[in-house]
Amino acid sequence: MESLSTFQGRINETAGEASEANVVAKTTQIEDTSIALAKRPKVEHTDRGQVSIGKKSSRKMLKATPKQRSDGNVMGTNNSSIVSKRSVERLYMDKPHFFHYFVKKPIRRSPLINRGYWLRMHAVETVVRNFLDKSSDRKKVVVNLGCGYDPSPFKWLSVERYRNAATFIDVDYPELMARKKEVIMQNQELERLVGPLHTDTPHPGLLLCSDSYMAVGCDLRDTTTLSSILDHKLELSNCLVLCVAEVSLTYMDVRAADALIKWAAGFNDVRFCLLEQCFPGGDEKHPFGQKMLQHFDNLNTPLRCVHTYPTPEDQQSRFLNAGFYSARARTLWDIWHDSCLMDPKLRSHLNSVEPFDEWEEFALFSLHYVLVEAVKIPHTSTMNDTQRSNIRSPGSEAQDDAVPPSNGMSTEVISSPNHRRQRKFGAITICSKTMIGMHGGIESKGRMQTTDRYRLHGAEADCERLPDPPLNIPARACHTITSVGGGRELLVGGRTSPDEAMGGCWLGGVDGWKTVHDLPKPLYRHCAAAVSVSDDGGDAVGVLICGGRSTGGAINGAWYLWQETKGWSELTVSNHSTCEPRFGATIAATRVRQGLLLGGMTEQGTLCDGVWEWFLENNGSPQIWLRRRQDIDIRPRMGACLVQSTAGLLLIGGVSRSLLSEGEEILCIRDLHDEAIDPGSFQKSNEGHSMAVAPLKLDFSNSRPLLVGHAAHATGSNLLVVGGGAVCFSFGAHWNHEIWTILLPDNGRSSSSSQRLVTDTNAQLDFRPENDGQAEDPKVPAVRPADTKDILRVKLETAEDFDRLMNLSRPFIMENLDIGSCTKAWTADELLKRVSPDRIVTVHQAQDDNMNFQRKNFQYVKKPFGEFVADCTSGSKQYMRSLSAEKPAAQPANFQNDFPELRDDFHLPEQLAVVSRNEHSSPFRISGPVNMWLHYDVMANVLSQIRGSKVVALYPPSDALHFRIPPASSTSPINVFADDTHGRGVITDPHPHIRATLDAGDVLYIPPMWLHTAAPLENLSISINVFFKSLKTGYAAGRDVYGNRDLQPYENGRRAIEKIVKSFDGLPKDIRGTYLERLAEELKSKAIALRENGD
């Protein structure tokens, strides 16, 4: 059977933006493309991968002890890593290649994964190479602790100069090493490199032994056995030893991992190279750290050591405490910026292999991995005073000089939920005095060309609303929109894919948008600022452009000025500044022709230091003057926003050389002088007006945003931050689901407001989403939106508890119910192991985010199950409701019968016995990021959410009349997620409805006739519905395959209506109409009486 990754590689090969948008789907899944371990059950992958499983071994695994299951999961952290490394090997490295012996089917990873793994491999290989190159008369030994299928020894042995340089020892679990031995012995090239084998291997854990290579099967927690195995062949006390542990110790119990490090420190001459995850900020509050932890927790391979040794400084102390004489810990981001390890030629080679623009995400990944190099050399002092002073208790606070002083500027933070589509790398457009928009950018499904509007909550809608950028402007990201006065804006550049920049420009205003002069060359990730220019004898507003990348990734070193009457002109840099070309920088005007340029990234991918001040001279031929401000000390950033506000210039977010603390996320830069600068003095002096830099005191509580790919705008004393997010390597994507309004101090004076986070959408200064430009339906009255009630969440003890709650006739969510192992086991790739990827299923394939059953904006498509799952995880708008495998047109779906491969993993608990006794059907549902239409079911049902999260909206049966549901139908054409939350409701006099988030493991009870719909929050959502008959009478007789046939009295009533209408045939129209209307009113009054009186 093909795995998910195979289908992704075969079906989902897309270029440009699609590959970027789908990076999570393509990199977080499990690939069964590596060699499966023999006779061992499959477990889900972590940083190092997975192993295979069969049905029998699955059941056997369920009977295993907790320790055996844990060991199995740890052993499973192998295959995904070598699949990624094989991708790197094929693209970036010269032959000979060795990963292909252990990877059956190569998968091309996303550029982000490739570059991240390349850096991991490069860092470790550099340490090993330096060790092998070290001159010594003693024997060298390289011990790879937790090696997995890593073929590094064979790579070194294939190089002539290293062939006899050392003995390479691979150590891992006995089962894994037994399979690795088989692969080695089945391939002549590997067998040749190992060399003649020793026949005297008395210890059973010594699986292979030659002068150059040893394969050892041993639990790393058992250092006694490990020592006895190695002592049979080597006297390590007389050798130079290098121990390597690449993301292996982190899964061990901390005490066991520390014991292994202390064991290594017992050798006379030893070095240790450790690579594992870290929290560079000291805790897991950063969204990337939270996503990383969640990923490994979900896969039952929690990161254990990172909590005890979160920072590089903690890791240094760890090794010094273990007995090493010196230790150096650096993040991979530090290594990336080390010119000794990363020379320009090497960087140029990387940039030439594949297009790359995930720099912020690459920085976040690199910051969260630490490389430790520890050394214990004989005839050296155990520790000098400096090294001893570096030792501190695990988890204790380290002093960081880069953290801004505590006397920052007080602010108040207000958050509100963003119900619009999440996007990053868009651009702010000014819609009106009380409204802004975020145009373009990237969402989970690709680039965007629409605009989401946000208005100041409580403000009346402006009559003079400027038009959004039209949809005929191609979708783009990393562009700029700059206000040029008079309600006009200039949209410049952007990109489709990292190697396809765009040169088109548009000017927008009250009369709409029109194309204007193209850029001299296509650009994206440039920065722009409005400046005052002399134009045809008068003053006008122009746009200054600096930096950026062009098609093919070339860096733009020119400055350009746009004037409406002249178009673009390249400026002369008059003082021959040493300001290097950059992209991803920030620029802002401090005065009409003067401003600052900060940060950015060089062509080699390193951050640009320094703050530069610029001055535009516009007399005759425009020219730019630049000088570096030595007095302004701001750490370099890339991907930040720089906006002008009443408090000063605000530098917001981005990535830096170290992880920005919450106190550094937003800095305020204030000019301490008001007078304009004289051009002559600017040219002659290297110093400008004094400027003060202070952090804003922010309290985001536990909902810290990820300020990457965001956009910001200041209006009055408020700073609005919208959008943003990042692909967190292979751990999944994080999107900012809230809008942040920061109340700024006035002109640097501290705000009297207390620091707090208000999660109240009715806050006075709360920005909230507006309708995104969709045409209004004239048939829908513009009335207030429905109020929202909280859903009841319960923990059931008995079946009687469920029966009592059902009598309330309202939805509720049941938590902590035992519904089986499905919530842990059913990853996408696991499904393809258990269900044949070639099985044909019928799916709904949609074009829009919201499926509409009445408009049929989707198609019924039959396709292989594997292809469907791959499409969903890649962000395709598809949805499957399973049908009966035996008689799809005649019998209701029954999960237990229709998917026998999975039935042991799901069951209803005893508390839901009434559901099991009265079950009608149990369809299996899998969907991508597409919303279900609003509808009701006549039968009650329990919805078990198994994988992913979704937002559900539920309305009582009495609201059915307000949703334009046609007769004899149970579906509404209204998209409640798009309409009823934006201040322009669609429901006339609705009852308060329920909106809640359903997470994996939650079970939702939906009473009969309650309208409901759901919007997935992730690409892949898996659930099972169990419909059951909860009414004592009234169900329609005959076939009801889907369980959505209306009650028998309603069907009878509709037939009676037809007879009543027909009985008036022959009478004049006005008489006939009058009587029918009277009958309708009489029926309505009886319905109201029944609802109110209950009889």
Side-chain angles (χ1 to χ4, degrees), residues 681-830:
S681 64
F682 187 97
Q683 300 168 21
K684 297 175 183 178
S685 172
N686 287 325
E687 296 184 3
H689 290 161
S690 298
M691 291 187 176
V693 179
L696 294 189
K697 290 183 178 179
L698 303 170
D699 182 7
F700 291 111
S701 186
N702 293 322
S703 301
R704 179 179 176 181
L706 182 55
L707 294 183
V708 165
H710 58 290
H713 176 72
T715 174
S717 60
N718 302 304
L719 172 66
L720 173 68
V721 181
V722 297
V727 173
C728 299
F729 202 58
S730 60
F731 313 137
H734 175 92
W735 296 95
N736 293 330
H737 292 282
E738 294 181 280
I739 310 161
W740 305 93
T741 305
I742 300 170
L743 279 62
L744 301 170
D746 186 15
N747 294 324
R749 294 189 295 273
S750 294
S751 168
S752 59
S753 301
S754 61
Q755 300 179 36
R756 62 192 179 95
L757 173 62
V758 182
T759 55
D760 178 10
T761 57
N762 294 317
Q764 183 180 2
L765 290 167
D766 162 42
F767 274 89
R768 60 186 301 171
E770 262 288 336
N771 183 271
D772 62 353
Q774 297 173 343
E776 297 186 9
D777 189 337
K779 299 179 181 178
V780 178
V783 297
R784 67 178 177 84
D787 295 327
T788 305
K789 277 187 175 180
D790 292 332
I791 196 166
L792 178 66
R793 290 182 175 269
V794 299
K795 295 180 180 179
L796 299 182
E797 297 292 338
T798 65
E800 289 74 19
D801 292 340
F802 181 72
D803 294 342
R804 284 193 294 269
L805 288 169
M806 276 205 308
N807 291 332
L808 299 176
S809 297
R810 59 170 295 183
F812 55 88
I813 291 177
M814 294 160 279
E815 299 178 336
N816 297 337
L817 283 181
D818 178 14
I819 60 174
S821 61
C822 52
T823 56
K824 297 293 185 181
W826 288 0
T827 61
D829 202 60
E830 173 71 5

Side-chain angles (χ1 to χ4, degrees), residues 522-823:
L523 289 176
Y524 69 93
R525 280 195 183 266
H526 52 282
C527 49
V531 291
S532 176
V533 295
S534 298
D535 196 351
D536 292 338
D539 287 336
V541 178
V543 175
L544 184 66
I545 293 289
C546 169
R549 301 181 74 183
S550 190
T551 296
I555 307 300
N556 170 47
W559 291 69
Y560 298 113
L561 176 66
W562 177 85
Q563 297 169 270
E564 187 171 1
T565 59
K566 300 177 181 178
W568 293 99
S569 57
E570 183 174 349
L571 302 179
T572 301
V573 180
S574 298
N575 56 339
H576 304 290
S577 165
T578 58
C579 181
E580 57 190 329
R582 62 193 64 203
F583 66 95
T586 55
I587 189 174
T590 54
R591 292 178 176 80
V592 291
R593 296 180 185 174
Q594 179 184 348
L596 296 179
L597 170 68
L598 296 93
M601 187 163 276
T602 68
E603 186 171 14
Q604 300 299 329
T606 56
L607 292 170
C608 298
D609 292 319
V611 176
W612 293 84
E613 192 169 21
W614 54 267
F615 180 83
L616 175 64
E617 187 174 0
N618 194 218
N619 297 325
S621 177
Q623 53 187 326
I624 198 83
W625 294 82
L626 295 170
R627 66 182 177 195
R628 184 165 180 171
R629 293 295 301 267
Q630 303 287 353
D631 58 318
I632 304 177
D633 185 17
I634 297 177
R635 288 197 295 180
R637 301 190 186 195
M638 190 262 188
C641 295
L642 189 63
V643 299
Q644 187 65 262
S645 74
T646 57
L649 281 180
L650 299 176
L651 182 64
I652 306 154
V655 295
S656 187
R657 281 289 302 271
S658 59
L659 191 72
L660 294 174
S661 67
E662 195 167 320
E664 297 174 281
E665 287 277 29
I666 303 180
L667 300 181
C668 182
I669 308 168
R670 292 186 293 121
D671 196 332
L672 301 182
H673 298 273
D674 295 329
E675 68 273 12
I677 196 168
D678 175 78
S681 64
F682 187 97
Q683 300 168 21
K684 297 175 183 178
S685 172
N686 287 325
E687 296 184 3
H689 290 161
S690 298
M691 291 187 176
V693 179
L696 294 189
K697 290 183 178 179
L698 303 170
D699 182 7
F700 291 111
S701 186
N702 293 322
S703 301
R704 179 179 176 181
L706 182 55
L707 294 183
V708 165
H710 58 290
H713 176 72
T715 174
S717 60
N718 302 304
L719 172 66
L720 173 68
V721 181
V722 297
V727 173
C728 299
F729 202 58
S730 60
F731 313 137
H734 175 92
W735 296 95
N736 293 330
H737 292 282
E738 294 181 280
I739 310 161
W740 305 93
T741 305
I742 300 170
L743 279 62
L744 301 170
D746 186 15
N747 294 324
R749 294 189 295 273
S750 294
S751 168
S752 59
S753 301
S754 61
Q755 300 179 36
R756 62 192 179 95
L757 173 62
V758 182
T759 55
D760 178 10
T761 57
N762 294 317
Q764 183 180 2
L765 290 167
D766 162 42
F767 274 89
R768 60 186 301 171
E770 262 288 336
N771 183 271
D772 62 353
Q774 297 173 343
E776 297 186 9
D777 189 337
K779 299 179 181 178
V780 178
V783 297
R784 67 178 177 84
D787 295 327
T788 305
K789 277 187 175 180
D790 292 332
I791 196 166
L792 178 66
R793 290 182 175 269
V794 299
K795 295 180 180 179
L796 299 182
E797 297 292 338
T798 65
E800 289 74 19
D801 292 340
F802 181 72
D803 294 342
R804 284 193 294 269
L805 288 169
M806 276 205 308
N807 291 332
L808 299 176
S809 297
R810 59 170 295 183
F812 55 88
I813 291 177
M814 294 160 279
E815 299 178 336
N816 297 337
L817 283 181
D818 178 14
I819 60 174
S821 61
C822 52
T823 56

